[in-house]
Amino acid sequence: MSASGLTLPGLASGDLPAAAELRGRVGGSRNPNPADAAAYAEIMSTLAFGKGFTDHMVHSRWTPSSGWGPLTLEPFGPIELSPAASVLHYGQEIFEGLKAYRWSDGSIRAFRPGFNAARLANSARRLALPELPAEDFVASIAGLIEADERWVPTADGATLYLRPFAFSSEPFLGVRAGHQVDYYLIGSPVGPYFAHGFEPVDIWVSSTYHRAGAGGMGDAKTGGNYAASLRPQAEASDRGFEQVLFLDASTNTYVDELGGMNLVVVDADGTVRTPNLTGTILEGGTRDSLLTLLADSGREVRQEPIALADLLADIRSGSVAEVFACGTAAVVTPVGRLAGEDFDVTVADGRPGPVTTNLHAHLTDIQFGRREDAHGWMYRLL
Ligand SMILES: Cc1ncc(COP(=O)(O)O)c(C=O)c1O
């Protein structure tokens, strides 16, 4: 466990074999019909999240008798799936999300891919799916990036979002772990999350819905958790809120996390607190990295239960100075307001605080090669 409490360290970037070596594990061939100049320009000029995709994907299939088959580069496109594929009925699916960053020297790097490999393996164990070896996970990324290099944006703050996922494709309606599993990696070029600056979000705290319960799948990255968050998210959106904060399902007392981000609180005395990993929270690589940077700078960092009632009282009294959410997509999102059935509080003056703002700059500077990567987080892909 690291100083910040990481339980999924995975392989450090420096301990992974070089990308040039791992790429050799990916067979297959280039897409004979890549996007033409107009289609490419359309996607690269809009960089809308998750809407445009690269020319390729990487695929591997697992069966109980053969294990994982070869990693194969294929044209990006529809996949053939039986209507009886068990993922469509029982949701046996896991995924990851990470980014490839283009540095000013033209090189392309991933941020802590060993962490995502370890988290995918953790999710696989919970969902009774086979674990993809970490080196194969990173190999799939290295192989995709070599083939899709032109899709890693050069625009300031833009990245290639990488989406690895695995699911049971076995055509079988019995309720048991699938005997045929497909792993895919796809990529989507995305713009900087804060196209219009670093805007605080308003958050609705749900006391009626929960995303995960004790013994459930909260610490796995699986589609079902996101399905559970869609209705509360839509209701919050109808009320004019951008995100939902979920409470612990057992007591409805403690803050867990948002639908797709972890939550961090900065006290006026400089202490940083975030909910401890109880099993219902997804352990974020961003969370861990930010806690590490904060500890590096000499701050007290605590992972502990945070009762909603205390948090609201502390925001009102001013003893909590900043609240932010964090995750791969947005890196750091300032929280301007927290509201629920019987409360509505503004954090500080509703503007991003200095700790939040500096952390966002610090982490993105490391990711884009503008600041020293003291922890060796970046992994060179090309
Ligand atoms: C539910 C949830 N919590 C937290 C996170 C943040 O994780 P990370 O920082 O690794 O992106 C994510 C995003 O992956 C998420 O989906």
Side-chain angles (χ1 to χ4, degrees), residues 226-291:
Y226 299 81
S229 74
L230 300 179
R231 173 80 190 255
Q233 180 68 44
E235 290 184 9
S237 180
D238 288 346
R239 292 178 150 113
F241 292 82
E242 280 115 317
Q243 295 278 334
V244 179
L245 174 62
F246 293 98
L247 301 176
D248 81 285
S250 306
T251 68
N252 232 10
T253 304
Y254 298 99
V255 167
D256 259 0
E257 63 172 328
L258 281 72
M261 284 184 272
N262 295 118
L263 194 83
V264 181
V265 169
V266 184
D267 291 334
D269 71 4
T271 304
V272 174
R273 294 179 290 131
T274 192
N276 50 324
L277 301 168
T278 55
T280 61
I281 297 174
L282 187 78
E283 179 170 2
T286 315
R287 170 190 185 277
D288 177 74
S289 306
L290 297 176
L291 298 186

Side-chain angles (χ1 to χ4, degrees), residues 153-242:
T154 50
D156 197 24
T159 58
L160 180 65
Y161 181 79
L162 298 164
R163 169 54 59 87
F165 60 105
F167 58 92
S168 168
S169 54
E170 185 189 5
F172 177 57
L173 295 182
V175 183
R176 62 146 168 75
H179 288 177
Q180 176 179 293
V181 173
D182 285 294
Y183 166 80
Y184 284 93
L185 169 67
I186 58 174
S188 174
V190 298
Y193 199 83
F194 296 109
H196 305 293
F198 196 51
E199 286 300 318
V201 293
D202 293 349
I203 290 185
W204 178 261
V205 184
S206 176
S207 50
T208 43
Y209 299 107
H210 297 97
R211 73 178 277 285
M217 306 190 296
D219 62 353
K221 203 160 166 64
T222 179
N225 292 336
Y226 299 81
S229 74
L230 300 179
R231 173 80 190 255
Q233 180 68 44
E235 290 184 9
S237 180
D238 288 346
R239 292 178 150 113
F241 292 82
E242 280 115 317

Side-chain angles (χ1 to χ4, degrees), residues 7-51:
T7 62
L8 289 171
L11 285 172
S13 292
D15 293 336
L16 285 163
E21 190 183 317
L22 290 179
R23 275 198 289 278
R25 297 189 186 192
V26 182
S29 51
R30 296 287 174 110
N31 186 344
N33 297 304
D36 64 20
Y40 173 80
E42 164 72 17
I43 291 173
M44 295 306 266
S45 59
T46 45
L47 292 173
F49 183 84
K51 285 198 170 161

Side-chain angles (χ1 to χ4, degrees), residues 101 103 111-112 285-293 324 326-328 330-332 355-373 375 377-378:
Y101 306 80
W103 284 12
F111 180 70
R112 304 181 75 174
T286 315
R287 170 190 185 277
D288 177 74
S289 306
L290 297 176
L291 298 186
T292 300
L293 294 177
F324 64 84
C326 60
T328 296
V331 191
V332 173
V355 176
T356 306
T357 306
N358 290 336
L359 272 180
H360 180 262
H362 193 160
L363 192 59
T364 50
D365 280 352
I366 291 173
Q367 290 169 332
F368 283 97
R370 295 184 295 251
R371 208 186 281 212
E372 194 206 346
D373 175 19
H375 294 277
W377 285 331
M378 304 311 291

Side-chain angles (χ1 to χ4, degrees), residues 54-77:
T54 67
D55 295 316
H56 300 90
M57 56 191 186
V58 176
H59 174 220
S60 178
R61 172 164 288 179
W62 176 94
T63 62
S65 54
S66 316
W68 287 106
L71 289 163
T72 315
L73 189 71
E74 299 175 1
F76 177 92

